[in-house]
């Protein structure tokens, strides 16, 4: 079989609602690896927040921060940090409205507030072990690939107007990912595909969320999870079962990668 590049989102795709990896998913990925295919992760998470999963699945290729930081076997293939002046504009607007931020580089994440209930609830939902630090000036001296803004949906429009050179993608009722304008998983994958020299028809992607829409639109063979957002399903070429119903295994069978 021709070698394929198969890309998986994490939350709602590899992980179920309890942030657990279904046994059938792990077995399917191991089978694909045994057949010589390249397996990658594409996620809104930061690299340090899915290191354990990469080790469990023996995956060394990933698109992190919704496409802004791409790595293959410890080599940085592509990076697209947010411009500092835009971070300053975002910070000023957020401070004015009392909304906290978390700034993230590839090694850590730091909030500009010491405590905030909605921030804590959103971060707790990720079920990660990495504690958020406190450093309001972290963005001033580090490359920031993604920022988390903590506000409800009704406040989101004011940010899009105030800092129109940034993109805002909601992932939680209390939080949105903040990215460079035009930044997406699709852009990160495009750079990875060029680096690997893979033909578009040999690229596959699985996702479920709003931050997967561009990826599912761009990738030639795209599969949305049954539990996915309606816009993700609309963007994908195929729709599989829910993640908790062996959705990854079924999707791989659906596109002919597994029997």
């Amino acid at each position: 079989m021709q070698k394929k590049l198969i890309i998986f989102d994490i939350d709602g795709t590899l992980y179920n609602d309890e942030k657990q990896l279904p046994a059938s998913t792990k077995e399917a990925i191991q089978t694909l690896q045994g057949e010589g295919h390249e397996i990658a992760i594409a996620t809104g998470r930061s690299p340090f927040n899915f290191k354990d999963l990469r080790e469990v699945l023996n995956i060394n290729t990933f698109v992190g921060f919704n496409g802004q930081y791409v790595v293959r076997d410890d080599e940085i293939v592509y990076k697209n940090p947010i411009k500092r002046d835009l971070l300053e504009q975002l910070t000023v607007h957020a401070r004015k409205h009392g909304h906290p931020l978390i700034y993230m580089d590839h090694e850590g994440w730091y909030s500009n507030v010491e405590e905030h209930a909605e921030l804590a609830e959103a971060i707790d939902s990720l079920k990660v072990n990495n504690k958020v630090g406190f450093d309001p000036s972290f963005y001033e001296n580090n490359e920031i690939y993604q920022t988390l803004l903590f506000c409800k949906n009704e406040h989101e429009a004011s940010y899009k107007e105030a800092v129109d050179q940034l993109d805002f993608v909601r992932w939680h009722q209390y939080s949105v990912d903040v990215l460079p304008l035009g930044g997406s998983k699709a852009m990160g994958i495009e750079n990875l595909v060029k680096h690997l020299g893979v033909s578009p028809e040999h690229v596959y992607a699985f996702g479920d969320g709003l931050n997967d829409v561009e990826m599912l639109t761009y990738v030639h063979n795209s599969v949305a999870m049954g539990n996915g957002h309606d816009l993700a399903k609309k963007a994908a070429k195929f729709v599989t079962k829910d993640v908790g119903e062996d959705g990854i295994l079924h999707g791989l069978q659906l596109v002919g990668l597994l029997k």
Side-chain angles (χ1 to χ4, degrees), residues 112-129:
N112 64 349
V113 298
E114 292 192 76
E115 292 184 0
H116 191 279
E118 292 178 358
L119 181 154
E121 182 173 333
I123 296 302
D124 286 349
S125 74
L126 293 173
K127 300 186 186 299
V128 295
N129 296 321

Side-chain angles (χ1 to χ4, degrees), residues 103-159:
Y103 310 106
M104 298 188 289
D105 70 1
H106 63 292
E107 294 181 325
W109 50 353
Y110 297 86
S111 172
N112 64 349
V113 298
E114 292 192 76
E115 292 184 0
H116 191 279
E118 292 178 358
L119 181 154
E121 182 173 333
I123 296 302
D124 286 349
S125 74
L126 293 173
K127 300 186 186 299
V128 295
N129 296 321
N130 299 290
K131 181 177 174 60
V132 178
F134 170 63
D135 185 354
S137 62
F138 186 71
Y139 73 94
E140 296 176 6
N141 302 301
N142 297 275
E143 285 192 333
I144 304 302
Y145 300 102
Q146 183 169 278
T147 301
L148 301 181
L149 165 66
F150 295 86
C151 70
K152 295 180 180 177
N153 188 62
E154 58 262 32
H155 302 294
E156 196 174 321
S158 74
Y159 286 89

Side-chain angles (χ1 to χ4, degrees), residues 1-9 13 32 37-38 40 42 189 193 198-208 212-225 232-240 248 250-258:
M1 182 182 288
Q2 172 70 41
K3 181 177 180 179
K4 307 294 197 296
L5 170 61
I6 309 158
I7 305 162
F8 298 96
D9 168 56
T13 301
L32 293 170
H37 298 303
E38 177 97 27
I189 290 170
V193 168
V198 181
S199 298
E201 64 268 24
H202 297 313
V203 181
Y204 296 73
F206 289 71
D208 73 296
D212 294 317
V213 170
E214 292 89 350
M215 174 182 76
L216 295 172
T217 302
Y218 169 75
V219 171
H220 191 77
N221 306 286
S222 56
V223 183
M225 306 303 292
K233 293 178 181 178
K234 185 177 180 179
K237 310 297 188 303
F238 303 91
V239 177
T240 184
I248 291 296
H250 178 74
L252 291 168
Q253 293 169 337
L254 191 64
V255 297
L257 288 174
L258 291 178

